[in-house]
Amino acid sequence: MASFSSDTIEQMLTQAEELKFQGKYEEALRILEQLLIVDPDNVTALEEVADNELSLGSYERAERAAKQALAFDKNSYTAHYILGFIASHFEKWKESIAALKIANTLEQNNPEILRCLGWSLFSSGSTLEGMATLERSLNLEEGNPLTLCDLGVAYLKTKNFAKSKALLGRALDLDPSNPRVQECLAMVKRLEKLAG
């Protein structure tokens, strides 16, 4: 079987990463799949496949790639994060929290891991721990509209309308066309009127 030089592998991974950031997930996957044919236990390529599949909403394929990455490297924080994210998407909170806590131990102070962990904790009923974790994520990455939105929804659910509105307003300033933020802000205003 043909093999790629380490320089070629690095170039392919870099090219796939660039395509992913441009939102060209299928193109990135084609490069990664070529690489995996020759180097099937390349953990970085498997992590990237999982991440691209996740972006495409192909949760089964993302999960399969993440599990394969873990088979080669049980300390792949990316694979643990992806498995935790997928579990949270399907509201499997215990499973999500377990995977995200491992990811957080392996890659501490990663705002995205903390955001997902905070949301899963909050959604599982660990309200204070979840909100504290979301706040920590926001402190690490103040301009993240997703974190602002998640935290805004958490405050909304705990009936702190002023804090919720302020966070969602910041999210809207950063990402004015985000439909989720617009929807959440409209919900705050409706609930505020009902409560008032």
Side-chain angles (χ1 to χ4, degrees):
M1 182 184 282
S3 65
F4 295 136
S5 69
S6 58
D7 283 350
T8 303
I9 289 171
E10 200 55 46
Q11 287 170 353
M12 291 173 85
L13 288 169
T14 301
Q15 188 181 5
E17 183 84 7
E18 287 170 6
L19 287 166
K20 180 178 77 175
F21 284 126
Q22 294 168 18
K24 298 177 180 175
Y25 308 116
E26 286 99 349
E27 290 177 46
L29 283 167
R30 280 195 285 278
I31 291 168
L32 294 164
E33 286 162 1
Q34 286 177 343
L35 174 54
L36 286 167
I37 288 169
V38 175
D39 189 5
D41 58 352
N42 187 309
V43 173
T44 305
L46 288 165
E47 291 170 343
E48 286 297 313
V49 165
D51 200 16
N52 280 284
E53 293 289 7
L54 192 64
S55 296
L56 289 168
S58 302
Y59 296 108
E60 261 183 55
R61 291 171 62 96
E63 184 177 13
R64 198 165 40 246
K67 285 181 175 175
Q68 202 171 348
L70 285 176
F72 295 117
D73 179 7
K74 66 179 175 39
N75 291 323
S76 166
Y77 79 86
T78 302
H80 285 290
Y81 159 74
I82 288 171
L83 292 174
F85 182 94
I86 292 168
S88 80
H89 177 78
F90 292 105
E91 298 184 3
K92 297 178 179 176
W93 305 122
K94 278 186 181 177
E95 195 178 309
S96 174
I97 291 164
L100 292 167
K101 280 188 173 182
I102 294 169
N104 186 48
T105 300
L106 295 168
E107 179 73 10
Q108 295 181 358
N109 295 319
N110 178 305
E112 178 58 16
I113 292 171
L114 289 170
R115 180 183 78 80
C116 291
L117 177 58
W119 183 254
S120 291
L121 286 164
F122 180 82
S123 299
S124 74
S126 298
T127 307
L128 292 177
E129 186 182 4
M131 291 177 84
T133 306
L134 284 166
E135 290 280 5
R136 203 165 126 224
S137 173
L138 189 60
N139 286 337
L140 292 167
E141 191 177 25
E142 289 181 19
N144 186 328
L146 294 173
T147 308
L148 287 162
C149 194
D150 285 353
L151 199 51
V153 170
Y155 277 108
L156 173 63
K157 288 183 175 187
T158 58
K159 295 186 175 33
N160 186 336
F161 299 120
K163 183 84 173 172
S164 177
K165 199 162 35 173
L167 290 162
L168 292 166
R170 275 177 53 203
L172 194 62
D173 289 343
L174 292 166
D175 191 0
S177 61
N178 186 320
R180 181 171 178 236
V181 176
Q182 293 170 350
E183 187 181 301
C184 291
L185 205 48
M187 190 188 318
V188 173
K189 290 174 181 171
R190 280 194 308 273
L191 290 172
E192 204 174 27
K193 280 181 187 172
L194 289 171

